[in-house]
Amino acid sequence: MVSRRLSRESGHRRKFLAIVDDTPECERAITYAARRAQTTGGLLVLLFVIVPEGFGEWMGVGDIMRQEALTAANLALDAAQARLSADGGVESERVIREGKPAEAILELIEDDQDIAIMVLAASTAKDGPGPLVASIGRGAAFPIPVTIVPHTLTDEDIAAIT
């Protein structure tokens, strides 16, 4: 069970969580979450999850792989924040976690009681809507509302509905 959300209490601001990854639809989720945060006076939390596949095989190689993954995560977050700045900016926080994506998301939601809404984007690719969206379809539940945005929405579409 997730701890009580504090985003509506004095001294707190509602946060919208968007996942940064290498999927094409990720940018749509970030754009939508940023607009919602901006229009409601909230904040945007950008989460990048490093999946530690094979980090522990050999000590030195594992350290190098972990450092490369951290560098890639920071570059992806830098790019996301640069896009947001170019679009007028929204206050954002960046978080990097290591582990399985769903578990890392749940831990972050538990750790930050101001996160009130998670935004994902659904792909229309032949291999499915994306792993997190598909997991929700299979019955996985997150302890906060999840907004699923079609990846086909344009910036103008998003501006019209946020």
Side-chain angles (χ1 to χ4, degrees), residues 15-16 21 24-25 27 50 59-60 81 94 109-110 117-118 127 134 142 147 150 162:
K15 294 180 181 180
F16 293 81
D21 58 24
E25 63 270 14
E27 192 267 330
I50 297 171
M59 188 74 109
Q81 286 184 309
R94 39 193 298 155
I109 292 168
E110 181 61 34
I117 297 171
M118 180 168 58
D127 56 340
F142 290 97
T147 300
T162 55

Side-chain angles (χ1 to χ4, degrees), residues 44-154:
L44 174 62
V45 177
L46 298 169
L47 171 64
F48 190 100
V49 180
I50 297 171
V51 181
E53 296 180 46
F55 283 2
E57 292 179 18
W58 295 296
M59 188 74 109
V61 174
D63 291 342
I64 292 169
M65 290 173 68
R66 182 173 277 109
Q67 188 57 45
E68 288 173 350
L70 185 59
T71 299
N74 277 305
L75 288 173
L77 290 167
D78 289 346
Q81 286 184 309
R83 277 194 314 271
L84 294 171
S85 293
D87 290 340
V90 63
E91 192 174 345
S92 64
E93 298 174 3
R94 39 193 298 155
V95 178
I96 299 173
R97 295 280 173 114
E98 190 175 309
K100 294 179 181 176
E103 291 173 8
I105 293 166
L106 289 169
E107 288 173 6
L108 177 60
I109 292 168
E110 181 61 34
D111 291 347
D112 189 338
Q113 292 177 285
D114 289 337
I115 295 175
I117 297 171
M118 180 168 58
V119 179
L120 301 173
S123 172
T124 55
K126 65 180 178 185
D127 56 340
L132 288 172
V133 174
S135 72
I136 292 169
R138 290 188 304 271
F142 290 97
I144 58 173
V146 178
T147 300
I148 300 175
V149 179
H151 94 278
T152 55
L153 288 181
T154 65

